[in-house]
């Protein structure tokens, strides 16, 4: 394991803002772990529901617990009529992350958390219904179809793909979705999780915490990078063309989306895992362009800048190969990260003090009052 990145300067980098038992990120000797379990082992061996249960309920479920949990989640996929009506009014050209934000917020109006003792029921509900929200809106606004969201799918991974394409998905795609949802589920005090914790620290309700977190995840420096990476790589018809374009972008000091990380120094452990799945999917669809382009961009970025792919970069091609529209990439991140966000909300609530840091004042020392008619 490489040394931890030297952290300092702006963006609260390197400052501890609290403690957590949920996750280590880039910790020497540990890397990325969820409650002590290595990410590679989880992504290889677990279903997403085992991981969401681990995060929210504090332990890996045994078979009976997993079965009961999945049955419960399956029963929570339906959309209330009032939420369907709201989704039907959101235009096709809306940003899908705005749809998620509104969907979560509307759910909070219809099924308000009245007391923190209800928190796990609301968390289970959000995990189960978020894929229904985005795919109901997508199918209605783009195809005029009111898709059935009460599918027979065995898992959240399968339910997402089933409600997107309105048919039972390819088992390989379901397997990849499990891995993807696991990789995205949790990442310590990243920007969106910190947003959720700040909101939780005011003793606000769980839908407000998650709605705020969705807003933070939307930005291209965070979750939105997977879509931005896709928009970039699909422009190029060959690896050579990609290399030339990347060299130009670096010369212009453009940001290359899907590269770099606030904490990791020389690799993001999620990349190797999703990259392997992207390669398998490329073989399945007979791709000869997108995967080689992605690999070349990865090589050039490392050669030129020692910048590495983060979790988002190979997610772009992997999702694309599964027929997922680019605009739905970041909402999938929401369907996964809601497990981590809400586990953090529970952790914050269990040992709360309102989060309220200080600022270094940089304004004028003292200003003289000027009457409005005398102002320049
Ligand atoms: C799931 C996730 O949210 S992962 C993150 C997804 N975001 C992206 O992929 C967006 C692209 N990446 C970035 O903007 C950044 O790497 C961030 C936001 C992830 C991290 O930001 P920081 O911690 O401030 O980056 P860091 O301190 O390592 O930057 C060091 C230098 O590398 C540059 N750099 C970092 N990432 C990139 C990049 N992707 N492309 C080009 N240059 C970069 C920075 O501009 C900086 O240069 P400077 O010193 O001349 O200003
Ligand atoms: O940790 C971060 O800053 C961003 C990230 O990779 C994530 O949230 O998954």
């Amino acid at each position: 394991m490489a040394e931890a990145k030297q952290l300092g300067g702006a963006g609260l980098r390197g400052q501890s803002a609290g403690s957590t038992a949920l996750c280590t990120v880039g910790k020497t000797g540990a890397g990325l772990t969820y409650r002590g379990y290595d990410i590679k082992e989880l992504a290889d061996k677990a279903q997403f529901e085992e991981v969401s249960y681990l995060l929210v309920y504090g332990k890996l479920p045994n078979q009976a617990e997993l079965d009961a949990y999945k049955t419960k989640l399956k029963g929570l996929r339906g959309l209330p009529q009032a939420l369907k009506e709201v989704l039907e009014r959101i235009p096709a050209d809306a940003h899908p992350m705005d749809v998620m934000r509104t969907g979560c917020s509307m759910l909070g109006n219809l099924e308000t958390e009245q007391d923190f003792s209800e928190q796990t029921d609301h968390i289970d509900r959000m995990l189960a219904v978020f894929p229904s929200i985005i795919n109901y809106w997508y199918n209605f606004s783009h195809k005029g179809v009111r898709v059935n969201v009460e599918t027979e799918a065995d898992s959240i991974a399968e339910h997402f793909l089933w409600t997107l394409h309105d048919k039972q998905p390819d088992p390989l795609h379901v397997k990849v979705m499990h891995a993807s949802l696991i990789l995205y589920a949790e990442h310590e005090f990243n920007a969106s999780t910190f947003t959720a914790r700040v909101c939780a620290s005011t003793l606000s309700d769980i839908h407000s915490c998650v709605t705020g977190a969705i807003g933070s995840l939307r930005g291209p420096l965070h979750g939105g990078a997977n879509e931005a990476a896709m928009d970039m790589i699909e422009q190029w018809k060959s690896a050579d063309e990609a290399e030339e374009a990347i060299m130009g972008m670096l010369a212009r000091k453009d940001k290359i989306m899907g590269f770099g990380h606030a904490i990791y120094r020389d690799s993001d452990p999620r990349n190797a895992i999703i990259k392997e799945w992207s390669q398998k999917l490329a073989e399945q669809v007979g791709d000869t362009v997108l995967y080689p382009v992605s690999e070349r961009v990865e090589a050039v970025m490392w050669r030129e800048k020692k910048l590495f792919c983060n979790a988002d970069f190979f997610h772009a091609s992997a999702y694309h190969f599964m027929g997922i529209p680019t605009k739905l990439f970041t909402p999938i991140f929401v369907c996964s990260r809601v497990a981590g966000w809400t586990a953090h909300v529970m952790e914050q609530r269990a040992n709360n003090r309102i989060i309220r840091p200080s600022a270094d004042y940089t304004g004028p020392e003292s200003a003289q009052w000027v009457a409005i008619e005398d102002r320049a």
Side-chain angles (χ1 to χ4, degrees):
M1 175 68 49
E3 271 170 56
K5 183 169 164 177
Q6 290 301 315
L7 300 169
L12 295 177
R13 204 69 86 256
Q15 297 178 36
S16 171
S19 54
T20 182
L22 288 162
C23 181
T24 60
V25 171
K27 191 166 178 287
T28 308
L32 175 56
T33 63
Y34 298 169
R35 292 196 188 275
Y37 295 97
D38 186 75
I39 191 63
K40 173 131 182 55
E41 200 161 24
L42 292 173
D44 283 353
K45 298 180 181 162
Q47 301 177 37
F48 173 61
E49 284 78 357
E50 292 174 85
V51 170
S52 60
Y53 190 100
L54 171 71
L55 292 169
V56 175
Y57 293 98
K59 68 185 258 300
L60 284 174
N62 62 30
Q63 191 63 56
E65 287 163 339
L66 181 63
D67 293 346
Y69 180 54
K70 286 174 71 176
T71 303
K72 179 180 180 193
L73 294 178
K74 193 171 173 185
L76 294 172
R77 290 174 181 161
L79 292 166
Q81 186 54 31
L83 179 47
K84 283 186 181 168
E85 285 164 18
V86 165
L87 294 171
E88 288 184 14
R89 295 181 77 115
I90 303 178
D93 62 358
H95 193 298
M97 286 295 278
D98 297 347
V99 178
M100 291 307 296
R101 198 187 56 213
T102 298
C104 178
S105 182
M106 183 64 183
L107 190 71
N109 282 289
L110 300 172
E111 301 175 11
T112 311
E113 185 187 33
Q114 305 290 355
D115 188 277
F116 292 172
S117 62
E118 303 166 1
Q119 61 188 357
T120 51
D121 284 337
H122 290 288
I123 293 169
D124 290 346
R125 173 69 163 144
M126 285 189 271
L127 272 161
V129 84
F130 277 7
S132 308
I133 289 177
I134 193 62
N135 288 329
Y136 185 86
W137 167 77
Y138 181 76
N139 278 292
F140 186 80
S141 61
H142 288 66
K143 301 176 189 163
V145 172
R146 290 187 170 91
V147 77
N148 170 33
V149 294
E150 310 220 23
T151 67
E152 283 308 309
D154 170 67
S155 62
I156 293 169
E158 187 176 20
H159 181 62
F160 180 87
L161 293 168
W162 196 320
T163 48
L164 172 60
H165 298 304
D166 204 9
K167 62 172 196 240
Q168 189 164 13
D170 178 331
L172 173 66
H173 295 183
V174 176
K175 177 84 190 115
V176 178
M177 278 303 288
H178 273 288
S180 167
L181 294 173
I182 290 168
L183 294 179
Y184 272 146
E186 164 54 11
H187 220 239
E188 199 222 36
F189 276 25
N190 62 85
S192 56
T193 300
F194 197 60
T195 303
R197 283 192 84 126
V198 170
C199 189
S201 82
T202 71
L203 302 183
S204 190
D205 67 290
I206 200 142
H207 297 94
S208 294
C209 299
V210 173
T211 302
I214 292 170
S216 287
L217 189 69
R218 183 189 194 286
L221 295 188
H222 191 9
N226 54 16
E227 294 179 19
M230 186 66 217
D231 293 341
M232 180 180 74
I233 57 179
E234 72 181 350
Q235 304 169 67
W236 301 317
K237 305 214 163 19
S238 71
D240 288 346
E241 192 185 328
E243 175 158 355
E244 203 185 316
I246 287 287
M247 293 300 284
M249 289 171 80
L250 291 176
R252 291 191 300 275
K253 301 212 172 311
D254 290 349
K255 272 263 160 81
I256 314 295
M257 293 305 169
F259 284 83
H261 198 273
I263 305 293
Y264 297 124
R265 201 176 82 144
D266 56 14
S267 69
D268 179 333
R270 299 167 295 184
N271 177 53
I273 302 167
I274 194 62
K275 182 179 174 187
E276 206 176 313
W277 282 118
S278 174
Q279 185 173 20
K280 284 200 176 82
L281 291 165
E283 281 160 18
Q284 187 195 44
V285 299
D287 166 78
T288 54
V289 177
L290 211 54
Y291 187 80
V293 159
S294 304
E295 271 201 310
R296 181 71 69 88
V297 175
E298 181 182 34
V300 173
M301 288 296 287
W302 184 253
R303 187 187 72 208
E304 297 296 322
K305 292 277 170 194
K306 293 285 169 281
L307 279 168
F308 53 88
C309 300
N310 56 47
D312 282 330
F313 189 67
F314 276 94
H315 259 107
S317 49
Y319 285 166
H320 182 81
F321 295 142
M322 293 193 289
I324 299 172
T326 304
K327 55 162 65 174
L328 299 188
F329 290 4
T330 319
I332 300 176
F333 200 153
V334 174
C335 295
S336 159
R337 185 58 60 88
V338 65
W341 290 332
T342 53
H344 276 274
V345 168
M346 289 173 64
E347 194 178 52
Q348 182 69 34
R349 286 175 171 180
N351 184 19
N352 188 55
R353 188 168 189 199
I354 190 165
I355 297 174
R356 200 299 187 194
S358 302
D360 298 321
Y361 179 66
T362 58
E365 272 312 316
S366 92
Q368 214 53 46
W369 170 256
V370 182
I372 196 161
E373 59 277 14
D374 297 332
R375 288 177 212 159

